[in-house]
Amino acid sequence: MLNNRLLYGGDYNPEQWLDRPDILEEDIRMLRKAGCNTVTLGIFSWAALEPQEGDFRFQWLENIVDRLYKNGIYTIMGTPSGARPKWLADKYPEVLRVDETGHRQMFGFRHNHCYTSPVYREKTALINKKLAKSFGNHPGVILWHISNELGGECRCPLCQDAFRRWLKERYRTIDELNRRWCTTFWSHTYQSFEQIEAPFTIGETQLHALNLDWKRFVTHQTRDFLRHEIDALREGGAKQPTTTNLMHYFQGLDYFKLAKDIDIVSWDTYPTWHKEEVLHTAYDNGMCHDLMRSLKKKPYLQMESCPTSTNWQSVSKLKKPGMLFAQMMQAIAHGAEGAMYFQVRQSRGASEKFHGAVIDHYGGSDTRVFKEVKETGEVLGKIGELLGSKVKSSVAILYDWESQWAMEDSQGPRNKGLHYMEVLLKFYRGFRRMGANVDLVDEEASLDGYRLLACPMVYMFKEGFAEKVRSFTENGGTVIFTYWSGIVDDTDRCYLGGVPYGLQDVLGLRSTEIDGLYDDEENSFIPVKENALGMQKTYGCRYLCDLVQLHGASAMMTYGADFYAGYPAVTVNSFGKGEAWYVAADADSDFYDDFLEKLVIRTKTAPILQGSIPDGIEMTTRETEKGCYYIYQNFGTTALQIPMPEGELRTVYGNPSEKLPVYGMVIVFQEK
Ligand code: GAL
C-alpha cells in the first residue's frame, strides 16, 4: 500500500512547460479536479536536470514536487536513464548501442543506451544518487520508477565481453558449452570462449542454444543495470520502494526474473479495444493483468494507459464513452492498487503531440475525456476499501519466457505460426468465463496452493519441472498438457527416449509424431461414446495435430479425419490422487469453453454463484481476512443480469439488482 488510497493520475512532463508557470499552476488545479492523487515525474528529464555535464539543476523539480504534495498529490519519481542528453552521447559514444547488424547507433530516439558501458553506469549512478539526496526522504515521493520500459539489446565489444564471461560462468569449459549447444552440427565447434560472438544478422543466427543464451544474458545484463540504478538510489539515501514499468508479454526480457529486483510490479497497457470483440480484448488485457500480479504474487500497479486514443497504433481510434472507466476498473478488479494514465498533459510538439491525455491542447475541463477521467476518479475514491484485499487463485496457467523463446526460434513443426499466445488465451477464457481467478506461473514457480494447472505448449522442460508436475499430480492436483510439450531441455536439446519428457507415465501416453496443418486445413475432435467427462459435441481443430500412443490413459475424444482419424485427441490418466489430461491438437475456443467448464466444476476451482456468468461479463474476486469482494464488469454488447453468490451481501458499488449496463461495474462484499 503506497499512500492509503488507490493510486490515480499519470505520467506528467512539466519540463516541457517550464516557460509557462501559468500552465503548471493550472495542471495542479486540473489534477485535483479530476480526483488524481499521484503523478510520475522525471522519466525523460535528464536534459533539464543536467543540461551540461556536472551542472545539476533540480530546483524546478523540487518546486513542483513540493507544490503537488501541498495539494495532496504524490509523486512517483523516475530515474532519467531511459533517454540520455545530447552532450553525453557526443562526448562518450560508447553509451550508444551497437545493433544486430554491427552498427553503432547515432544519438536519437530514446532507450538507446548500452547497459554495460562503465560511462553510462557512472553517469546514471551520479544523477540517481543526487536525486535520492533531494527526494529520498521527501514525504511526497512514494515510489521510485527506474528508467522507462527497459528493453533492447546492445552488441558492442563491452557487451560481448560480458556475454563471454557470463557463458564461462555458466558452462565452465568450452567442451561443456559445445556439448550443450550441439555445435558439432554444421561444424560450429568453438575452441575457446573468446571466439564466441553474439547472434548477428550477418553472422550466427542458426545455433538455437546461442540465441537462447543470448536472450538469457540480455535479461541478466538488464537486471544488472537495473540493480545498479537501485543501488545508487540507496547509496543516496532513498528509502522508498522501487518499480519499473513493464510491457505486456514483451519478448526481450524474462519478466519473472526481472521482477525479483523491484519491490512493486507496474505495467503499461494499450489494448486495441475496437479491433476485435470487446470481450476478447478484455480477456487479453485481463490475462496480462494476471501475469503482472503473478510476477511477484503481490498487488501491482497499472502505470500507463491512454485516456483516449494513442497516436502510434495504426489507426488512432477514440475510446468510446465508458471504455476508459471499464479499462481502469479492470486493473483494480485483477488486483492492482492503482490505475494511471499516460499522460497528464499532451505535449505540444515532437512525436507524441497527438497522443491522448487527461488535459489536451485545448486545456479545459469541459472535454468528454476529462469528464470521464473525473468520473473514474470519483469512483476510485468510493471503492478505496478494496485497498489491501488480494486476488487468490486455485488455477494457474504455465507461461515461461525461456520456453517460448526456444519454441518460437526453432524451425518446425510450423514455421507459419504456432499460435501459442492464442492457445494461452483460449485456456484463460475457458477459466475466466467460469469466474475462476487465474495466476500465470513459470517453470520455477512453486505450485503450492493451486489445484488446477494448465500447461499449453510447454515446449521446454527445464531441470526439475517434470518432477514438480509429477508430485503436484500425485498429491491430488489436476494437470492439463497439450501437444508440443516436454520436447527439449534447457539448452534446446531434444530429449531422447520419448516425450513429453519425464511425464509419460503421469499422462499415460507417448507423443509419437506431430502433423503441421496448412492454414486452411482442419481436423476435428469427436467425442468417444459415453466418455467420463460427458463431452458430446464435435469441435474443430487446426495448425498442429499430435499423434499419441496410449500407455494407460483413456481417450475422451478422437480425431475425425485424415489417416489418424480415430486416434486419441483428448485423454485422461489417473495418477496418484490426481488426474493428468492431454489435449493433442489446437482445438477451437468452443472446445476449451466446454472442456474447462467441466474441469473447473470437477475441481471446484471457481466461486459458486446463483446461475452462470453470461457471455460478456467478467467476474473477479479480491479477498481479505474478513471476506470477499465480487467484482463484475460488463464487456458485452447489451445490459446483462449478473449472478450473485448466495447469502448476505453488502453493495460496495453499482446496483446488483438491475441489469449491468455495458462497461458498467458492480462490486459486492460478502463476509466470511
Ligand atoms: C509507453 C511509454 C511512454 C509513452 C507511451 C505512449 O510505451 O512508456 O513514455 O511513450 O508509451 O503510448
Side-chain angles (χ1 to χ4, degrees):
M1 257 186 270
L2 286 163
N3 76 353
N4 295 321
R5 277 178 292 180
L6 292 166
L7 300 195
Y8 190 52
D11 275 30
Y12 179 40
N13 301 304
E15 67 277 5
Q16 295 172 15
W17 304 96
L18 293 179
D19 60 342
R20 291 292 304 267
D22 56 321
I23 284 188
L24 296 177
E25 274 305 316
E26 176 65 1
D27 287 345
I28 293 187
R29 204 184 62 79
M30 294 278 274
L31 280 163
R32 281 170 58 100
K33 193 166 185 183
C36 292
N37 53 40
T38 310
V39 295
T40 305
L41 292 178
I43 298 183
F44 299 115
S45 301
W46 198 337
L49 293 169
E50 192 184 359
Q52 299 295 330
E53 188 170 11
D55 173 12
F56 293 96
R57 303 200 184 171
F58 289 5
Q59 197 56 53
W60 64 269
L61 188 57
E62 285 164 8
N63 290 345
I64 285 165
V65 172
D66 288 344
R67 279 216 312 278
L68 286 163
Y69 181 54
K70 278 192 199 116
N71 282 280
I73 298 163
Y74 289 82
T75 294
I76 297 175
M77 185 58 79
T79 66
S81 62
R84 79 236 50 76
K86 180 84 166 98
W87 59 258
L88 180 56
D90 286 356
K91 183 160 176 201
Y92 308 103
E94 72 163 55
V95 304
L96 298 170
R97 284 181 186 165
V98 171
D99 69 12
E100 66 280 1
T101 65
H103 290 99
R104 177 128 4 227
Q105 302 290 291
M106 290 166 68
F107 175 78
F109 214 66
R110 52 179 175 178
H111 307 159
N112 172 14
H113 60 268
C114 168
Y115 35 59
T116 307
S117 153
V119 172
Y120 204 61
R121 288 188 174 217
E122 181 199 320
K123 296 297 177 193
T124 48
L126 188 61
I127 195 160
N128 285 10
K129 259 188 245 173
K130 286 189 182 291
L131 284 168
K133 283 209 174 85
S134 300
F135 302 105
N137 290 300
H138 195 296
V141 176
I142 52 171
L143 179 67
W144 287 93
H145 180 301
I146 313 297
S147 207
N148 182 65
E149 296 191 333
L150 294 170
E153 305 179 351
C154 173
R155 288 166 166 79
C156 74
L158 295 165
C159 285
Q160 297 217 50
D161 276 348
F163 179 45
R164 291 178 198 114
R165 284 197 299 278
W166 181 84
L167 288 171
K168 209 165 183 175
E169 190 135 311
R170 195 174 169 86
Y171 296 104
R172 306 276 163 197
T173 67
I174 197 68
D175 290 347
E176 179 61 4
L177 177 141
N178 281 317
R179 195 176 71 80
R180 297 299 308 269
W181 284 14
C182 298
T183 54
T184 39
F185 182 80
W186 286 353
S187 262
H188 285 204
T189 312
Y190 297 97
Q191 279 79 45
S192 74
F193 284 98
E194 286 62 45
Q195 292 174 319
I196 297 172
E197 287 155 347
F200 277 99
T201 47
I202 50 162
E204 183 65 274
T205 58
Q206 298 295 299
L207 196 53
H208 292 149
L210 164 70
N211 295 345
L212 180 61
D213 272 343
W214 171 255
K215 280 183 165 287
R216 287 183 172 130
F217 164 75
V218 170
T219 294
H220 164 88
Q221 202 67 351
T222 306
R223 287 182 67 190
D224 196 57
F225 183 75
L226 173 64
R227 283 195 299 265
H228 156 86
E229 283 218 46
I230 295 171
D231 289 348
L233 290 175
R234 297 291 174 234
E235 270 176 53
K239 305 272 185 315
Q240 303 93 332
T242 57
T243 190
T244 186
N245 51 341
L246 308 181
M247 300 169 274
H248 215 229
Y249 305 91
F250 176 60
Q251 284 303 292
L253 294 167
D254 180 343
Y255 280 164
F256 278 106
K257 298 213 161 57
L258 193 115
K260 294 184 203 293
D261 303 314
I262 47 174
D263 299 308
I264 296 170
V265 165
S266 65
W267 80 292
D268 303 342
T269 172
Y270 294 94
T272 42
W273 288 103
H274 315 80
K275 239 182 169 174
E276 274 155 312
E277 197 198 358
V278 170
L279 180 63
H280 181 83
T281 309
Y283 283 137
D284 194 10
N285 197 45
M287 182 161 84
C288 205
H289 274 300
D290 289 346
L291 172 68
M292 296 297 156
R293 189 193 61 244
S294 303
L295 291 178
K296 286 185 90 70
K297 285 215 184 166
K298 267 173 61 178
Y300 65 100
L301 294 174
Q302 173 181 296
M303 186 60 80
E304 293 181 19
S305 66
C306 188
T308 177
S309 64
T310 66
N311 69 324
W312 50 264
Q313 287 165 350
S314 56
V315 173
S316 302
K317 197 87 188 145
L318 296 177
K319 276 199 172 70
K320 293 191 196 309
M323 248 176 193
L324 174 157
F325 173 79
Q327 180 175 331
M328 301 307 265
M329 294 303 148
Q330 198 188 17
I332 307 301
H334 284 256
E337 294 209 329
M340 317 256 292
Y341 300 107
F342 179 88
Q343 51 194 337
V344 170
R345 181 178 277 278
Q346 201 166 31
S347 53
R348 195 154 183 200
S351 71
E352 283 175 348
K353 61 184 178 295
F354 297 125
H355 192 289
V358 173
I359 309 167
D360 64 14
H361 295 144
Y362 156 66
S365 56
D366 54 342
T367 62
R368 183 180 73 90
V369 172
F370 190 87
K371 283 183 197 155
E372 289 198 35
V373 168
K374 182 168 176 285
E375 279 159 22
T376 304
E378 280 161 10
V379 176
L380 281 171
K382 286 186 194 146
I383 63 167
E385 64 173 89
L386 265 77
L387 203 62
S389 61
K390 297 204 170 76
V391 174
K392 289 197 182 141
S393 320
S394 334
V395 177
I397 296 180
L398 201 114
Y399 176 69
D400 191 283
W401 259 271
E402 293 185 357
S403 176
Q404 183 180 9
W405 288 340
M407 177 169 74
E408 288 179 348
D409 192 35
S410 282
Q411 279 136 316
R414 204 172 185 281
N415 301 332
K416 275 174 75 70
L418 295 166
H419 298 269
Y420 171 57
M421 293 312 289
E422 285 106 299
V423 176
L424 279 185
L425 197 53
K426 285 188 234 181
F427 268 94
Y428 183 78
R429 175 189 141 103
F431 294 133
R432 295 293 306 125
R433 284 176 69 246
M434 301 294 291
N437 290 336
V438 179
D439 281 355
L440 280 93
V441 295
D442 71 351
E443 290 184 32
E444 278 137 61
S446 156
L447 299 178
D448 292 351
Y450 299 117
R451 296 209 299 281
L452 182 52
L453 173 70
C455 297
M457 299 177 86
V458 184
Y459 165 75
M460 175 188 287
F461 277 11
K462 292 186 232 171
E463 213 183 311
F465 177 64
E467 290 70 21
K468 192 157 41 180
V469 171
R470 166 184 300 275
S471 67
F472 173 79
T473 320
E474 216 161 24
N475 293 317
T478 298
V479 69
I480 312 163
F481 273 90
T482 73
Y483 55 97
W484 212 228
S485 288
I487 310 293
V488 300
D489 70 8
D490 52 15
T491 48
D492 203 23
R493 282 186 314 180
C494 292
Y495 280 118
L496 307 180
V499 296
Y501 171 78
L503 289 182
Q504 290 164 63
D505 57 337
V506 176
L507 291 159
L509 55 78
R510 180 169 76 82
S511 155
T512 62
E513 296 175 85
I514 190 157
D515 193 18
L517 275 59
Y518 291 106
D519 281 352
D520 56 359
E521 275 185 299
E522 212 184 321
N523 205 317
S524 60
F525 284 10
I526 296 179
V528 167
K529 265 201 192 115
E530 286 160 23
N531 64 82
L533 208 55
M535 299 293 277
Q536 282 171 359
K537 288 194 333 218
T538 294
Y539 304 91
C541 68
R542 57 204 77 240
Y543 305 132
L544 287 168
C545 294
D546 190 5
L547 314 190
V548 300
Q549 215 174 65
L550 301 189
H551 297 286
S554 22
M556 299 279 127
M557 308 196 85
T558 54
Y559 285 115
D562 215 320
F563 73 90
Y564 41 90
Y567 279 37
V570 179
T571 71
V572 63
N573 191 42
S574 296
F575 189 79
K577 292 190 220 147
E579 267 183 353
W581 292 84
Y582 195 80
V583 179
D586 190 346
D588 293 345
S589 248
D590 54 344
F591 163 75
Y592 283 104
D593 289 355
D594 294 349
F595 173 62
L596 296 177
E597 179 170 331
K598 289 177 193 298
L599 285 196
V600 165
I601 293 171
R602 205 174 164 97
T603 53
K604 302 190 176 63
T605 40
I608 299 168
L609 304 170
Q610 304 175 63
S612 51
I613 300 173
D615 235 20
I617 297 290
E618 211 205 7
M619 195 216 65
T620 51
T621 55
R622 287 180 66 144
E623 291 177 42
T624 65
E625 277 171 12
K626 294 200 183 118
C628 183
Y629 293 95
Y630 291 78
I631 308 164
Y632 300 80
Q633 289 193 266
N634 187 349
F635 291 105
T637 49
T638 53
L640 293 163
Q641 202 68 50
I642 46 176
M644 290 285 127
E646 263 180 48
E648 215 175 299
L649 300 169
R650 172 169 64 84
T651 301
V652 178
Y653 182 78
N655 188 347
S657 49
E658 275 179 10
K659 280 189 172 178
L660 181 59
V662 174
Y663 305 141
M665 177 177 74
V666 159
I667 306 178
V668 294
F669 180 74
Q670 184 165 56
E671 264 183 46
K672 269 187 190 154

